[in-house]
């Protein structure tokens, strides 16, 4: 792993990323950079989910960017990531609800695809024709499909990237014949575009675009398939029959929860991520054109795009997972900052009842992940309590009267979002981000 210590590795003000992993985040693999504390990362990202899912040689459910070394980021710190821009470059994509046919994987179709004819794990494949049997094994010519689309759609986007429209069969098949072009697959990407499958089950449906990053975070401290760098998908690695099997204790220790699928991780948001390896290893991918909370179909509109981030080291970050400062418009109603009119009414109440001081509050969203939503909520509550030096009972109360529990992804990613005492945020070095984001 690069350590940023030699003159040739002098930290840069900006790093441009166009390299991808083989879908495994490995802390011992070389990182790009280093980029200076306060510097900029610019990347062209590849679609996540379906493309890598039908590309058996990849060893995870996404194709994320090669991690970037951040100067000054030490184990136990955090990295604050300001999302400056997310722009969709794909002009079409396809997606849908999935199933996993029997015999096409070794325990986990995301991680260990296999050809059932020649029994090769992670076989090299190529595209022949279009449709759900288009991915063929290089060795034996058999169709290899660790995943099938049960009900799906092909969607094309307008030139302003504001809306999309799902296509009938003829349109989906026309796009499938030039799949890589419409997907705008980056030159270094190795995935087969899901547009080759040409699904068309809900033609003529108009959708809004609201792009965000499904993957954005820091490198875990042991090799881990990128899509499984979270408490829910990571649970599939525990006791698995393939090379990336881990224990529950290893998952809790090493993951960084970079795979969140939280739709508030979009342009203008600030996310603070834990540092578990020297240099942090900031990576990204799995850009979505839009998604409702929960990603309940299991997948959404995965697209290629360009991303600009600004990174800043936060010393002595106390959590093992991320916290988010969303755009104000993305906050639950009760977690929005109080207006001047509301504060004036509160001041009158304080005067009437002789309350000497009204605590200053600011929004924060603490991420929780686990194998299921109930356990993810407990994880998020415990993290919020640790971060702000309060009891879980107090967090529960504050999230009830001044916030909400939001679902990022089923089965197990949530946000504990609430108005927290600004003094508590200041104590852990995060108050400045709240003031920047919300003007409190």
């Amino acid at each position: 792993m690069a350590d940023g210590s030699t003159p040739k590795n002098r930290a840069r003000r900006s790093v441009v990323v166009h390299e991808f992993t083989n879908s495994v985040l490995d802390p011992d693999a070389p990182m790009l950079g280093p980029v200076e504390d306060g510097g900029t990362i610019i990347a062209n990202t590849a679609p996540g989910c379906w493309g890598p899912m039908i590309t058996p040689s990849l060893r995870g459910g996404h194709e994320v960017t090669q991690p970037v070394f951040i100067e000054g980021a030490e184990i136990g710190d955090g990295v604050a990531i300001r999302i400056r821009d997310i722009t969709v470059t794909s002009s079409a994509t396809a997606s849908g609800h999935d199933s996993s046919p029997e015999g096409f994987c070794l325990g986990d179709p995301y991680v260990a695809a296999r050809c059932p004819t020649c029994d090769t794990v992670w076989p090299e494949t190529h595209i022949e024709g279009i449709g759900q049997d288009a991915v063929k094994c290089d060795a034996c010519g058999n169709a290899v499909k660790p995943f099938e689309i049960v009900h799906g759609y092909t969607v094309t986007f307008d030139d302003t990237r504001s809306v999309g429209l799902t296509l009938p069969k003829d349109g989906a098949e026309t796009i499938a014949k030039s799949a890589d072009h419409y997907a705008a697959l980056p030159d270094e990407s190795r995935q087969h575009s899901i547009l080759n499958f040409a699904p068309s089950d809900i033609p003529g449906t108009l959708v809004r675009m609201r792009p965000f990053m499904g993957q954005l975070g820091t490198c875990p401290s042991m090799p881990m398939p990128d899509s499984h760098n979270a408490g829910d998908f990571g649970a599939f690695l525990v006791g698995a029959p393939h090379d990336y099997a881990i224990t529950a204790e290893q998952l809790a220790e090493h993951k960084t929860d970079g795979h969140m699928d939280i739709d508030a991780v979009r342009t203008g948001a600030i996310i603070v991520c834990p540092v578990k390896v020297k240099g942090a290893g900031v990576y990204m991918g799995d850009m979505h054109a839009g998604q409702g909370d929960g990603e309940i179909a299991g997948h959404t509109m995965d697209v290629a795009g360009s991303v600009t981030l600004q990174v800043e080291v936060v010393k002595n970050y106390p959590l093992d997972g991320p916290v988010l400062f969303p755009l104000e418009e993305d906050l639950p109603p009760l977690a929005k900052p109080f207006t001047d009119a509301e504060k004036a009414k509160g001041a009158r109440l304080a005067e009437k009842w002789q309350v000497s001081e009204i605590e200053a509050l600011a929004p924060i969203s603490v991420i929780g992940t686990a194998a299921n939503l109930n356990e993810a909520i407990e994880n998020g509550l415990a993290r919020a309590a640790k971060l702000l030096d309060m009891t879980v009972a107090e967090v529960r109360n504050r999230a009830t009267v001044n916030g909400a529990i939001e679902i990022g992804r089923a089965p197990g990613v949530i946000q504990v979002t609430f108005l927290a005492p600004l003094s508590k945020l200041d104590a852990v070095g995060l108050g400045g981000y709240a003031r920047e984001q919300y003007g409190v």
Side-chain angles (χ1 to χ4, degrees):
M1 182 172 64
D3 63 8
S5 61
T6 61
K8 68 178 181 180
N9 283 339
R10 179 176 56 85
R12 305 171 186 174
R13 288 182 292 276
S14 63
V15 171
V16 178
V17 182
H18 54 79
E19 298 89 348
F20 300 97
T21 69
N22 69 339
S23 298
V24 172
L25 293 163
D26 185 349
D28 294 322
M31 294 187 190
L32 298 177
V35 66
E36 68 182 19
D37 184 2
T40 298
I41 300 171
I42 302 167
N44 185 20
T45 65
C49 289
W50 271 109
M53 284 163 51
I54 64 165
T55 309
S57 62
L58 296 176
R59 303 187 179 200
H62 297 130
E63 193 176 23
V64 299
T65 56
Q66 186 176 350
V68 176
F69 190 103
I70 311 302
E71 185 180 42
E74 303 290 343
I75 296 171
D77 291 339
V79 172
I81 303 172
R82 294 176 175 90
I83 306 174
R84 299 302 193 192
D85 181 70
I86 296 174
T87 299
V88 175
T89 53
S90 297
S91 55
T93 191
S95 190
H97 184 56
D98 71 79
S99 68
S100 182
E102 187 175 352
F104 285 92
C105 72
L106 187 64
D108 187 333
Y110 289 97
V111 175
R114 65 184 284 272
C115 175
T117 301
C118 64
D119 205 31
T120 302
V121 181
W122 301 303
E124 294 295 332
T125 53
H126 61 278
I127 295 290
E128 289 183 17
I130 62 175
Q132 298 207 53
D133 290 322
V135 179
K136 307 289 189 181
C137 177
D138 284 357
C140 69
N142 184 66
V144 182
K145 47 183 179 182
F147 291 94
E148 290 181 328
I149 294 179
V150 175
H151 183 278
Y153 51 90
T154 297
V155 57
T156 185
F157 308 121
D158 80 313
D159 289 337
T160 70
R161 299 302 190 266
S162 299
V163 299
L165 182 67
T166 59
L167 297 177
K169 184 175 184 290
D170 287 350
E173 291 183 349
T174 295
I175 283 179
K177 293 171 184 175
S178 301
D180 290 1
H181 167 74
Y182 285 97
L185 288 185
D187 292 333
E188 302 299 323
S189 172
R190 295 171 52 202
Q191 69 178 262
H192 303 310
S193 171
I194 189 56
L195 286 167
N196 287 287
F197 273 25
S200 58
D201 294 318
I202 47 173
T205 297
L206 191 65
V207 298
R208 293 186 179 93
M209 295 180 68
R210 193 170 177 269
F212 69 97
M213 302 307 296
Q215 284 257 25
L216 180 58
T218 50
C219 190
S221 48
M222 70 175 294
M224 191 176 294
D226 50 21
S227 55
H228 291 35
N229 182 23
D232 54 351
F233 274 71
F236 301 146
L237 300 176
V238 176
H242 51 70
D243 290 353
Y244 298 100
I246 59 177
T247 66
E249 292 75 18
Q250 287 175 315
L251 177 64
E253 177 183 354
H254 297 289
K255 70 180 175 67
T256 61
D257 287 337
H259 180 207
M260 295 178 291
D261 284 333
I262 289 173
D263 62 354
V265 183
R266 64 189 186 107
T267 301
I270 303 171
I271 186 165
V272 185
C273 304
V275 175
K276 294 194 175 182
V277 298
K278 184 177 175 64
V282 171
Y283 73 94
M284 71 201 87
D286 193 28
M287 183 187 293
H288 296 162
Q291 173 201 296
D293 283 356
E295 197 180 15
I296 204 63
H299 309 285
T300 185
M301 298 175 287
D302 303 302
V303 289
S306 60
V307 185
T308 302
L309 311 173
Q310 186 176 19
V311 293
E312 183 174 84
V313 176
V314 178
K315 302 305 293 183
N316 302 314
Y317 178 69
L319 288 191
D320 65 341
V323 299
L324 179 65
F325 294 93
L327 295 174
E328 184 171 338
E329 64 194 75
D330 290 347
L331 293 167
L334 296 182
K336 293 181 185 293
F338 287 106
T339 65
D340 289 342
E342 289 170 325
K343 290 177 182 178
K345 292 175 182 178
R348 289 194 290 273
L349 280 173
E351 182 179 4
K352 177 180 178 179
W353 291 97
Q354 298 181 341
V355 177
S356 60
E357 183 179 358
I358 300 177
E359 63 183 359
L361 301 170
I364 190 170
S365 190
V366 180
I367 312 305
T369 78
N372 60 62
L373 289 172
N374 285 339
E375 292 178 8
I377 290 170
E378 296 300 322
N379 176 246
L381 292 170
R383 282 176 168 174
K386 179 178 181 180
L387 178 72
L388 301 173
D389 190 26
M390 58 179 64
T391 65
V392 170
E394 181 177 348
V395 174
R396 287 179 180 273
N397 279 333
R398 290 184 180 274
T400 299
V401 301
N402 272 343
I405 302 296
E406 303 172 90
I407 299 175
R409 175 182 64 237
V413 178
I414 62 94
Q415 300 167 255
V416 182
T417 307
F418 62 103
L419 290 169
L422 194 52
S423 60
K424 296 282 192 178
L425 294 175
D426 285 335
V428 291
L430 300 181
Y433 299 110
R435 291 182 178 88
E436 172 187 338
Q437 191 74 323
Y438 307 114
V440 294

